[in-house]
Amino acid sequence: MSLMFNGIGASRGIAIGPVHLLQRDRIEIVEAAIPKMRVEDEVARFERAVAASRGELQATLEQVKDNCPEDIRSFIETHLLMLADPALDERPVEMIREQRCNAEWALKQQRDALVEVFDSMDDPYLRTRRDDVDHVVQSILRALHQIDVDDGRAEGADAALPDWRGKVVVADDLTPADTVLMQHQGVAGFATESGGQLSHTAILARSLGIPAVLGVHSLRRYLRQGEEVVVDGKAGMLLASPDEDAVAHYRRRQRELKKRQKALARLRDAPSVTLCGEPITLQANIEVEEDIRALRRSRAAGVGLYRTEFMYMNRSEPPDEDEHYKTYLRVVRALKGAPLTIRTVDLGADKEVDHERGPLAHNPALGLRGIRRCLNEPAMFIPQLRAILRASAKGPINLMFPMLTNISEVHQSLALVEQIRGDLRRERLKFGDESALRIGGMIEVPAAAICADEFAAALDFLSIGTNDLIQYALAIDRVDDQVNYLYDPLHPAVLRLIRGTIRAGQRAGIPVSLCGEMASDPRYVRLLLALGLRNFSMPPNLLLEIKSVVNATRLASLTEGAEAVFDSKDSQAQQELLDELNAIDDEQAAEGEAAGSGSAAATVAG
């Protein structure tokens, strides 16, 4: 009998194949006292484990280096850097010596301290970076266990990695190294019991094109090794023991998806323009320099959001002006004239650098974060602003302030920018003038969206951050699987905030972009276009999918359907109305093809 399991659709696509149950559960950790005479032996054991973990990751990189893009390899390299970070490489050694405890217990204490910081972060993307800490810690723990096996002190070591070709891997969780190696071996797809849309596992699955469903609790309890399953990454569903009709249905869908991917590739060099000739700007979100390569492959029109928080993490001191400047300069040069929008650092009371760490805020989401933190600590803010201004002399840069709530924050920030311009003139350092550097703000707090006219009058552009805007408007945490079912981009309040912000930009004659996840979801593109949005920013690997929707859209035909979605107060009815709005896709693509457009847009629509 077939069984259906629902989870989070992390990476679209259809996978059909036998299950490989990856039994790599977390190792139980107990505290053990170490005699004084054995402390240095325990330190050596820990250092051997770290070296073994590092060697395993380096071997994985070597195995996939010839056919794995550099931006994908960077996920593994991040774990290698973490293994060399004093927080995981040196601090546990200090604990072993200070407390005379076993390596596992020292590592657990340090892991708990690091995870506490990540768990309290408000930014859902950064909060899921705790997964990296857990992956690296588990790798060291497995290496410690293997050392004991090799030395005859334990039994039951992990087996060597199997051949995953054509199989559907089902696991508790997967590391970036696991995911990259599985793709290299030709895995059909995977499903995990933990994880979410923003985890590295999900991001890598999307980048590598592996169908994946995450967050299916206790899945391994109900599946047998070798049992045939279907993974539908778009629907977030795993079907166990499908009958012949179901298999035939999903085989057809597989063939259709492969045809679509080939058609999407032909869109790479096509302009992003609607059937009625309206140009739509599609830019990319990036966070590290390596993302530029993915941006080039998608032919994005520049960077709509450059997150700079990673420059501040896993270090004891914040980056200085020179480090900021050199980093931005490399990105500007790599973009070769395409615009770069830099969001100033969005740190909060929960993300102190190590030498300043104090008690965590009771509620970091409502605490000293974003522009509030920057204005409160000019010694941290000014070096970044100086670097951005200097880099703007070398290429087009947009400066964007996060987490705006009050217009006074804009006035203070603009005054600080003018002060810095004066300082740079006196120092005879080159910087971009007002025509070279546009200054904008993120609308991600409901108060800012309601007062968007005031912000639009004072700034050169606005950018809607729907991830935070939706969470603040609906008072839910989408990373918390107990309440994330309430995360609803179509909620009437959310749509009103988005439309109000877009209209405020139109009245002020300034551009408005959207850089949250709504921008990269094909379901919402037509609705957003109908609301007046003309600038989207998204992960680069999703850009061609969005372009296909844009290029198959005639704006005039959307008005009535979009208003129906906007006016509806029933969530189920909204979804049905949205489906009807998106169903126009086929008709409009056919019109474009019949008119002799010959464009790739007509080919990929549908």
Side-chain angles (χ1 to χ4, degrees):
M1 183 180 71
S2 299
L3 289 176
M4 182 180 294
F5 301 89
N6 293 310
I8 299 168
S11 178
R12 284 179 287 175
I14 303 293
I16 304 171
V19 165
H20 176 84
L21 296 175
L22 185 60
Q23 300 292 352
R24 191 188 287 167
D25 293 319
R26 294 178 181 273
I27 296 171
E28 182 124 9
I29 301 172
V30 295
E31 182 179 9
I34 301 296
K36 184 177 181 180
M37 67 184 68
R38 299 291 304 276
V39 165
E40 290 308 312
D41 290 339
E42 191 66 7
V43 168
R45 176 173 170 262
F46 175 78
E47 291 174 342
R48 282 174 62 192
V50 172
S53 296
R54 188 179 298 117
E56 183 179 327
L57 286 174
Q58 288 171 337
T60 300
L61 272 180
E62 184 66 24
Q63 185 171 348
V64 303
K65 68 177 182 179
D66 294 332
N67 60 358
C68 185
E70 187 167 338
D71 53 304
I72 302 301
R73 295 202 303 270
S74 68
F75 282 88
I76 302 177
E77 290 166 351
T78 296
H79 284 197
L80 282 168
L81 289 172
M82 290 179 72
L83 282 167
D85 191 291
L88 285 175
D89 185 32
E90 297 176 8
R91 181 58 185 147
V93 169
E94 295 172 0
M95 291 179 174
I96 294 170
R97 288 173 172 150
E98 291 168 0
Q99 302 175 23
R100 297 182 189 174
C101 64
N102 56 320
E104 289 88 346
W105 190 253
L107 185 60
K108 177 187 182 300
Q109 292 180 84
Q110 182 62 0
R111 175 264 176 203
D112 291 347
L114 292 171
V115 165
E116 181 181 11
V117 174
F118 279 96
D119 278 348
S120 61
M121 291 181 177
D122 180 63
D123 187 316
Y125 182 85
L126 293 178
R127 191 157 66 246
T128 56
R129 299 288 69 77
R130 64 165 286 176
D131 295 345
D132 293 315
V133 175
D134 277 335
H135 290 156
V136 171
V137 166
Q138 286 297 314
S139 174
I140 299 172
L141 288 172
R142 286 195 295 271
L144 285 166
H145 180 66
Q146 184 63 50
I147 288 170
D148 289 347
V149 171
D150 294 342
D151 292 347
R153 295 195 298 266
E155 297 179 357
D158 288 331
L161 293 178
D163 180 6
W164 288 319
R165 187 171 306 278
K167 295 178 181 176
V168 174
V169 173
V170 178
D172 169 44
D173 194 10
L174 296 172
T175 68
D178 290 333
T179 309
V180 171
L181 198 57
M182 286 177 185
Q183 192 267 349
H184 178 70
Q185 291 191 4
V187 71
F190 62 79
T192 64
E193 296 179 351
S194 58
Q197 280 276 4
L198 299 177
S199 66
H200 268 170
T201 304
I203 294 169
L204 270 174
R206 290 192 288 270
S207 297
L208 295 169
I210 306 173
V213 176
L214 309 185
V216 188
H217 301 306
S218 304
L219 178 62
R220 288 173 297 171
R221 290 174 54 189
Y222 301 98
L223 298 179
R224 303 185 307 277
Q225 198 78 261
E227 178 180 5
E228 187 173 39
V229 296
V230 173
V231 169
D232 185 337
K234 182 178 181 179
M237 180 274 294
L238 182 144
L239 182 64
S241 299
D243 59 30
E244 291 183 4
D245 289 342
V247 171
H249 167 74
Y250 284 106
R251 294 277 184 210
R252 285 195 299 273
R253 285 191 56 191
Q254 275 186 325
R255 292 191 292 269
E256 291 167 0
L257 286 170
K258 287 179 180 178
K259 286 175 61 177
R260 179 167 175 76
Q261 289 304 316
K262 290 180 180 179
L264 282 175
R266 294 198 292 272
L267 268 183
R268 202 178 307 277
D269 295 314
S272 176
V273 58
T274 65
L275 287 173
C276 46
E278 179 85 11
I280 305 298
T281 301
L282 302 182
Q283 295 185 312
N285 301 338
I286 68 170
E287 57 190 332
V288 291
E289 293 175 57
E290 288 77 8
D291 291 339
I292 297 294
R293 294 174 179 84
L295 179 148
R296 286 174 178 164
R297 289 199 299 270
S298 68
R299 306 294 196 272
V303 174
L305 171 63
Y306 179 19
R307 300 182 180 95
T308 57
E309 289 75 38
F310 275 76
M311 295 180 66
Y312 292 78
M313 300 177 70
N314 295 324
R315 57 191 300 162
S316 59
E317 296 288 341
D320 59 19
E321 178 184 336
D322 190 52
E323 183 178 346
H324 276 292
Y325 176 69
K326 289 179 179 177
T327 300
Y328 304 149
L329 198 57
R330 287 194 297 270
V331 177
V332 166
R333 288 171 175 166
L335 288 174
K336 299 179 180 179
L340 169 65
T341 302
I342 302 175
R343 182 179 74 181
T344 57
V345 62
D346 186 9
L347 295 176
D350 55 306
K351 307 173 204 173
E352 304 288 348
V353 292
D354 288 349
H355 71 288
E356 296 177 344
R357 191 176 306 284
L360 296 178
H362 178 67
N363 190 338
L366 306 179
L368 190 65
R369 58 161 293 202
I371 196 65
R372 306 169 186 174
R373 164 77 182 271
C374 290
L375 292 172
N376 190 63
E377 299 183 26
M380 177 188 73
F381 193 27
I382 288 175
Q384 183 177 32
L385 290 179
R386 285 175 58 94
I388 292 172
L389 283 166
R390 290 172 58 198
S392 69
K394 304 295 184 179
I397 288 182
N398 302 320
L399 168 62
M400 184 163 66
F401 301 122
M403 193 66 186
L404 293 171
T405 306
N406 301 305
I407 193 64
S408 61
E409 295 166 337
V410 173
H411 296 322
Q412 291 178 64
S413 300
L414 293 177
L416 190 56
V417 169
E418 283 307 309
Q419 174 189 317
I420 292 170
R421 282 187 171 128
D423 293 341
L424 293 175
R425 286 191 191 97
R426 286 188 291 274
E427 297 168 32
R428 297 185 178 181
L429 292 173
K430 292 182 179 180
F431 63 92
D433 58 20
E434 288 83 348
S435 62
L437 179 73
R438 296 193 311 158
I439 300 179
M442 290 199 70
I443 305 299
E444 47 194 334
V445 176
I450 293 169
C451 299
D453 280 311
E454 295 181 32
F455 292 96
L459 294 165
D460 298 322
F461 68 93
L462 301 177
S463 181
I464 304 171
T466 53
N467 297 351
D468 272 335
L469 184 64
I470 295 170
Q471 292 186 109
Y472 281 120
L474 304 183
I476 64 100
D477 181 350
R478 65 186 179 138
V479 179
D480 184 344
D481 60 9
Q482 292 182 311
V483 297
N484 62 13
Y485 68 95
L486 294 170
Y487 185 87
D488 182 13
L490 296 181
H491 190 289
V494 173
L495 294 181
R496 290 175 192 176
L497 294 172
I498 292 173
R499 184 167 73 171
T501 302
I502 294 171
R503 288 183 172 178
Q506 292 170 340
R507 286 191 289 269
I510 65 170
V512 176
S513 65
L514 192 145
C515 60
E517 279 198 12
M518 280 187 77
S520 60
D521 193 326
R523 293 175 299 170
Y524 304 124
V525 171
R526 289 173 167 270
L527 178 61
L528 291 169
L529 288 171
L531 294 180
L533 188 70
R534 297 295 180 266
N535 302 281
F536 296 70
S537 190
M538 67 206 71
N541 60 299
L542 300 175
L543 190 142
L544 294 180
E545 185 77 31
I546 301 306
K547 184 187 286 188
S548 73
V549 178
V550 168
N551 288 8
T553 295
R554 192 178 304 280
L555 295 174
S557 67
L558 301 180
T559 305
E560 183 178 345
E563 285 298 322
V565 175
F566 189 86
D567 292 337
S568 176
K569 305 301 184 290
D570 178 81
S571 58
Q572 180 61 38
Q574 274 187 315
Q575 291 293 339
E576 293 173 359
L577 290 166
L578 186 67
D579 290 342
E580 292 176 10
L581 182 69
N582 290 326
I584 301 172
D585 198 351
D586 293 332
E587 300 171 11
Q588 295 187 357
E591 288 177 16
E593 197 167 20
S597 65
S599 70
T603 305
V604 301

